[in-house]
Amino acid sequence: MAFPEPKPRAPELPQKQLKTLDCGQGAVRAVRFNVDGNYCLTCGSDKTLKLWNPLRGTLLRTYSGHGYEVLDAAGSFDNSSLCSGGGDKAVVLWDVASGQAVRKFRGHAGKVNTVQFNEEATIILSGSIDSSIRCWDCRSRRPEPVQTLDEARDGISSVKVSDHEILAGSVDGRVRRYDMRMGQLFSDYVGSPITCICFSRDGQCILVSSLDSTLRLLDKDTGELLGEYTGHKNQEYKLDCCLSERDTHVVSCSEDGKVFFWDLVEGALALTLPVGPGVVQSLSFHPTEPCLLTAMAGSIQCWREEAYEAEGGAG
């Protein structure tokens, strides 16, 4: 006789606030987990980038070298390098251990909204309000980008990279996907300025947030609309969205001080997390665990599932 398969665990959502860290760097423009989720980066309006252990609440290092506020940052796959972009139009490559700026790439004509490493961390991709994505070679001394993608008709708000694809969201209301293997460009029109885009963790779908207070889930290959998620407020600011660690829920910042979780398949609102009285500027979901970081004003908040116990008892 065959036993029924055990039901998979219901996904737990991070709704218990573990910690609030005052980052001491002006307004936090972005918070980003590193690749394995052990550390996070915060981008400050005071021109600094900081590296933290968010669960312990400890500051590990401060990176100074931007001439204006830092708007985005990313870590490399091996945790040895960071890249950042900011209001000074510069893209900076950092050595994690020494805290030094290794290279500064200049060439954008406007502030840099978004930065990403490719999978091998040999190239930094940066997206700017100058409507271009530039690809910088981390290993060469060449000052100019190895490639410039300038198909967008307005500023680039968000860029993501997979092993052979570049995904870009633009204020012109289009999601563009560059297939580097095939040398092809695919474009889907959303119709409202895009604030954030991301791949689902299984790589099959694209999540898009835009200034009509709507998130849309698109099939990556066909562009078909698979779901729409509403209830949050996003009409003015560039806010983050993402998927939970198991692709079960869609998550978004909101301008009314909350984070919204929707069931990915059913589209129903699953949880509203009250963060505080301001705009939730940024969020980052842990790669493998139900853990969420949010940024509001000058601090970040770390959230875990209800059953979570911090090491050494409740902390």
Side-chain angles (χ1 to χ4, degrees):
M1 131 183 197
F3 288 99
E5 287 282 315
K7 273 180 109 169
R9 256 181 334 115
E12 295 182 278
L13 297 178
Q15 49 190 311
K16 176 164 85 172
Q17 189 169 339
L18 275 195
K19 278 207 164 38
T20 294
L21 302 180
D22 184 0
C23 297
Q25 52 185 156
V28 177
R29 297 297 181 208
V31 59
R32 304 283 178 247
F33 267 117
N34 74 327
V35 189
D36 50 25
N38 294 334
Y39 305 105
C40 75
L41 294 162
T42 55
C43 303
S45 64
D46 71 344
K47 315 176 193 173
T48 66
L49 183 62
K50 290 188 177 184
L51 179 69
W52 305 82
N53 179 324
L55 285 175
R56 290 220 171 100
T58 48
L59 173 64
L60 302 171
R61 198 172 274 284
T62 300
Y63 302 84
S64 304
H66 273 286
Y68 207 67
E69 58 182 3
V70 186
L71 296 173
D72 194 19
S76 63
F77 70 98
D78 60 359
N79 291 324
S80 69
S81 303
L82 306 172
C83 62
S84 59
D88 56 0
K89 312 178 191 174
V91 177
V92 183
L93 172 66
W94 305 89
D95 178 67
V96 168
S98 72
Q100 297 301 307
V102 182
R103 299 284 310 277
K104 266 192 190 176
F105 300 102
R106 298 188 183 279
H108 279 297
K111 68 180 184 179
V112 178
N113 282 323
T114 176
V115 288
Q116 288 277 296
F117 281 107
N118 67 343
E119 294 226 322
E120 299 79 36
T122 52
I123 301 278
I124 299 170
L125 295 99
S126 56
S128 163
I129 62 165
D130 69 7
S131 311
S132 76
I133 299 166
R134 291 172 195 240
C135 309
W136 310 93
D137 188 338
C138 298
R139 297 167 303 178
S140 97
R141 307 305 300 172
R142 278 176 56 164
E144 61 278 349
V146 287
Q147 191 168 12
T148 301
L149 306 171
D150 54 6
E151 285 74 18
R153 303 269 65 86
D154 208 331
I156 304 288
S157 56
S158 185
V159 168
K160 295 290 186 302
V161 187
S162 74
D163 60 347
H164 66 283
E165 293 170 316
I166 299 169
L167 191 62
S170 168
V171 180
D172 67 11
R174 284 191 178 274
V175 183
R176 293 176 176 84
R177 180 169 61 89
Y178 298 86
D179 186 320
M180 303 314 261
R181 276 186 201 152
M182 311 293 289
Q184 288 178 300
L185 167 61
F186 303 90
S187 173
D188 292 299
Y189 187 55
V190 171
S192 175
I194 293 170
T195 60
C196 184
I197 42 149
C198 57
F199 289 106
S200 57
R201 304 217 180 232
D202 66 7
Q204 302 299 304
C205 304
I206 295 169
L207 183 65
V208 185
S209 76
S210 50
L211 289 181
D212 55 359
S213 300
T214 306
L215 287 100
R216 294 171 177 84
L217 189 70
L218 308 178
D219 182 287
K220 187 186 80 174
D221 292 325
T222 65
E224 181 191 352
L225 181 66
L226 303 175
E228 287 195 354
Y229 311 89
T230 55
H232 66 302
K233 181 168 184 248
N234 186 10
Q235 293 165 330
E236 302 177 56
Y237 295 93
K238 176 179 149 22
L239 301 185
D240 290 335
C241 64
C242 66
L243 289 146
S244 61
E245 87 282 10
R246 286 159 56 195
D247 272 349
T248 56
H249 289 80
V250 169
V251 191
S252 176
C253 295
S254 182
E255 290 166 10
D256 58 7
K258 303 185 187 81
V259 170
F260 284 70
F261 292 78
W262 295 266
D263 184 284
L264 174 99
V265 178
E266 293 170 10
L269 189 61
L271 172 68
T272 311
L273 203 60
V275 179
V279 174
V280 185
Q281 277 272 205
S282 180
L283 55 75
S284 187
F285 213 101
H286 192 285
T288 55
E289 294 175 33
C291 177
L292 176 74
L293 296 175
T294 52
M296 177 177 285
S299 59
I300 60 169
Q301 302 78 33
C302 181
W303 308 81
R304 291 292 311 222
E305 71 277 24
E306 286 290 2
Y308 178 80
E309 286 296 328
E311 290 170 26

